[in-house]
Amino acid sequence: VLEATKRLENTHRTCDLLLGAGHWNASMGNGMSPNDANTTYFSGYQYSASVLNVYEWYDLEPYNETWHPRIEDIVYWGMDWDCPGYN
């Protein structure tokens, strides 16, 4: 995940995307530090030509308790940030 983040930070981005990168390992368990290179296992990315935002489950955007709540250990997006009625 850290390598994917570095690659996205340093690449020439030309479009707007929401995407994710990571892996799952049954022995990892919960309560890991998301900044530890040995435990980071999934990040969500919002990127455009000028912006790269990296998200984990605890700081996922957009945050809305009714139509886009934060769920522990889950990084997800609905159809679009501007379409809450379609979730």
Side-chain angles (χ1 to χ4, degrees), residues 2 8 10 12 15 23 27 34 41 46 51 64 67 80 82:
L2 296 177
L8 290 171
N10 295 317
H12 176 70
C15 61
H23 72 279
S27 66
Y41 61 100
Q46 173 199 24
V51 172
N64 183 293
W67 59 267
D80 192 304
D82 296 326

Side-chain angles (χ1 to χ4, degrees), residues 11-70:
T11 194
H12 176 70
R13 300 180 305 272
T14 60
C15 61
D16 297 346
L17 291 174
L18 294 171
L19 57 113
H23 72 279
W24 182 81
N25 182 329
S27 66
M28 294 175 92
N30 293 326
M32 298 173 295
S33 168
N35 297 314
D36 184 336
N38 296 319
T39 60
T40 298
Y41 61 100
F42 191 88
S43 292
Y45 302 92
Q46 173 199 24
Y47 94 26
S48 70
S50 60
V51 172
L52 174 65
N53 292 316
V54 183
Y55 296 105
E56 309 299 335
W57 72 266
Y58 53 81
D59 61 3
L60 189 62
E61 296 289 334
Y63 177 67
N64 183 293
E65 190 66 38
T66 59
W67 59 267
H68 201 271
R70 292 182 180 146

